[in-house]
Amino acid sequence: MENDDRILQQYLQKKLKSVNIEKSKECPGTKPLLDYLAGSLSGEISLELEKHLSHCPFCLRQISIASDALSQKKKDLIPVPEKTINKVNRRLEAYLKNTTRKRKGKKTKQRFYFLAMLVFFVLSFLLPKYFAQFLVGALILGMRWSLEGKGGQTLIMVLDSLRKQSQGKNDEISNRIKNHLEE
Amino acid sequence: MSNSKLIKLCLKNNKKAWKLFLKKYSRLIYWAINKNLARGSFNQQQNEAEDIFQEVFLSILEDKKLQQVKNIDLLPGWLAMVASNQTIDYMRRKNRIKESLVAEFPITGSQSLQEKISGQDTFSLVDKVIENLSNKEKIIISLNLFEDKTHKEIAGILSLPVNTVSTIIFRTKEKIKSKIKKMKEN
């Protein structure tokens, strides 16, 4: 190997040992990096991202591996050991079972509040002596019923987000609304 | 089943969809993990790759990370990034990534103090040459030198003609060589 190539090689070895692959606060996240790879960023944003990439080994690594993944052929990939797949499958099943149980529990709760609200409302007319009490009860149960639902939770999140002006929360809310509308 | 339908069903916690997702993308995630482990300054172990794989998959499942995927065509890229990110975190937790701030000059038996000192100067020189490049040129050189990317791959990433990339890499290396030569002559 030529002397100059040897020097470059030594430089690389030294640099690789000392370079700090760590995500920083300035790192843009996966979406902008993927958009950059896809060529769908505007010129100005692209230039800003390149400025970051020129001194961020973490994001450079992300782009490099994403680019490899997108051009990867399935036949070149080695399979995951079966015991690992089985472990993951077991955790997957346990998680989904738990999630389904929680969702069923929530739906039962919602139905309960709805029925209770109806009963109180009817009783408010059947027992005029306690009209106000049963009506207030029906209103409270109605509020609990609406808050238990997705719409109510989304409303609370919107108000909370506006209060705290959190970007992460805003993204979560828009995803929920989008998913809700798609359903 | 199309990828977009698969993702939608996975987000609805459909068991069959998740099993299909695991079957379809497990090899890619595993590959990304192993690639990162091989790149780092630590020895690759199968057990670690398997542990990280479980963490990656379960974090995608439990944190509903698939919501972040906007462009389905880029899903493999996104998965590789998530796996890469998690691998780096895992290794940092295990204190395996060494952050060396001391210049590590390779010591050979016959090297004199003069050679060691000039070696450090050479490295600073290379650093300076790279520092004076434009942002795009820095990215090209970094992808070539540190990420082992070919000229064609770099051209694909940066949407540049291959010739442009080759010219920049050649020009930068020539610049480094001529500066080293001048330094030695002085």
Side-chain angles (χ1 to χ4, degrees), chain B residues 63 88 90 123:
Chain B
D63 299 341
I88 292 169
Y90 180 93
F123 288 178

Side-chain angles (χ1 to χ4, degrees), chain B residues 41-169:
Chain B
S41 51
F42 34 77
N43 290 323
Q44 195 177 338
Q45 289 177 17
Q46 190 175 332
N47 287 342
E48 281 179 330
E50 289 171 19
D51 287 343
I52 299 168
F53 176 83
Q54 284 187 61
E55 275 194 24
V56 170
F57 186 82
L58 293 171
S59 83
I60 293 172
L61 168 69
E62 291 170 7
D63 299 341
K64 293 195 183 295
K65 281 187 175 168
L66 286 174
Q67 282 176 348
Q68 298 169 17
V69 180
K70 304 294 172 196
N71 186 342
I72 295 293
D73 293 334
L74 300 177
L75 179 62
W78 179 85
L79 286 170
M81 279 183 170
V82 168
S84 167
N85 204 350
Q86 207 107 359
T87 308
I88 292 169
D89 276 347
Y90 180 93
M91 298 318 289
R92 185 168 295 109
R93 273 182 288 143
K94 298 270 175 179
N95 290 320
R96 296 285 290 277
I97 294 177
K98 288 172 187 168
E99 295 167 13
S100 166
L101 298 172
V102 177
E104 286 186 37
F105 186 64
I107 297 165
T108 61
S110 56
Q111 266 187 342
S112 65
L113 183 63
Q114 189 79 14
E115 281 174 325
K116 284 177 199 170
I117 291 168
S118 76
Q120 286 169 346
D121 287 341
T122 310
F123 288 178
S124 316
L125 202 140
V126 177
D127 272 342
K128 261 191 192 151
V129 168
I130 293 179
E131 208 45 49
N132 287 331
L133 299 171
S134 70
N135 289 333
K136 208 141 198 165
E137 287 169 342
K138 272 186 210 165
I139 295 170
I140 290 171
I141 286 294
S142 299
L143 284 171
N144 182 242
L145 296 184
F146 303 131
E147 295 294 328
D148 274 342
K149 287 270 171 282
T150 63
H151 298 195
K152 194 179 175 187
E153 285 168 343
I154 296 170
I157 291 171
L158 299 177
S159 307
L160 288 172
V162 180
N163 286 342
T164 308
V165 171
S166 304
T167 305
I168 288 171
I169 292 171

Side-chain angles (χ1 to χ4, degrees), chain A residues 2-23 29-40 46-55 57-72 74-81 83-93 95-96 99-100 103 171-172 174-176 178-179 182-183, chain B residues 8 11-16 18-19 22 24 26-28 30-36 39-41 46-47 50-51 53-54 57-58 61-64 67-68 70-71 73-78 80-82 84-85 88 92 97-106 108 111 122-124 126-127 130 134-136 138-139 142-143 145-147 149 153 156-159 173 176-177 180-181 184:
Chain A
E2 273 185 48
N3 193 40
D4 298 326
D5 287 337
R6 187 175 61 88
I7 287 170
L8 258 178
Q9 202 62 36
Q10 288 171 351
Y11 168 81
L12 281 176
Q13 283 166 11
K14 176 217 161 192
K15 237 355 201 209
L16 281 169
K17 282 178 187 172
S18 66
V19 83
N20 188 10
I21 306 273
E22 193 177 351
K23 193 172 181 179
T30 52
K31 189 180 180 304
L33 292 175
L34 283 169
D35 287 343
Y36 178 76
L37 266 181
S40 57
S46 222
L47 285 172
E48 275 300 310
L49 189 61
E50 281 171 7
K51 194 176 170 188
H52 175 78
L53 283 171
S54 68
H55 64 264
F58 178 84
C59 290
L60 216 56
R61 170 69 56 84
Q62 295 283 76
I63 280 223
S64 167
I65 205 151
S67 162
D68 285 347
L70 289 166
S71 56
Q72 193 60 261
K74 267 198 183 146
K75 60 179 176 67
D76 297 332
L77 303 174
I78 55 165
V80 184
K83 62 176 168 101
T84 309
I85 294 284
N86 291 339
K87 269 188 202 170
V88 169
N89 264 322
R90 281 197 292 273
R91 287 283 298 269
L92 169 70
E93 285 180 13
Y95 173 80
L96 292 176
T99 312
T100 312
R103 203 171 42 213
D171 289 341
E172 201 187 329
S174 61
N175 282 332
R176 283 186 76 146
K178 227 181 257 178
N179 289 337
E182 278 165 9
E183 279 165 23
Chain B
K8 274 187 186 160
L11 286 169
K12 289 183 182 175
N13 288 332
N14 183 299
K15 190 173 166 180
K16 270 186 186 162
W18 273 111
K19 295 228 167 182
L22 181 63
K24 211 171 173 183
S26 59
R27 289 186 185 207
L28 181 75
Y30 196 59
W31 161 82
I33 292 166
N34 279 310
K35 186 153 178 138
N36 264 283
R39 281 215 173 276
S41 51
Q46 190 175 332
N47 287 342
E50 289 171 19
D51 287 343
F53 176 83
Q54 284 187 61
F57 186 82
L58 293 171
L61 168 69
E62 291 170 7
D63 299 341
K64 293 195 183 295
Q67 282 176 348
Q68 298 169 17
K70 304 294 172 196
N71 186 342
D73 293 334
L74 300 177
L75 179 62
W78 179 85
M81 279 183 170
V82 168
S84 167
N85 204 350
I88 292 169
R92 185 168 295 109
I97 294 177
K98 288 172 187 168
E99 295 167 13
S100 166
L101 298 172
V102 177
E104 286 186 37
F105 186 64
T108 61
Q111 266 187 342
T122 310
F123 288 178
S124 316
V126 177
D127 272 342
I130 293 179
S134 70
N135 289 333
K136 208 141 198 165
K138 272 186 210 165
I139 295 170
S142 299
L143 284 171
L145 296 184
F146 303 131
E147 295 294 328
K149 287 270 171 282
E153 285 168 343
I157 291 171
L158 299 177
S159 307
K173 284 185 177 174
I176 291 170
K177 284 177 188 176
I180 291 170
K181 200 174 175 185
K184 282 181 178 170

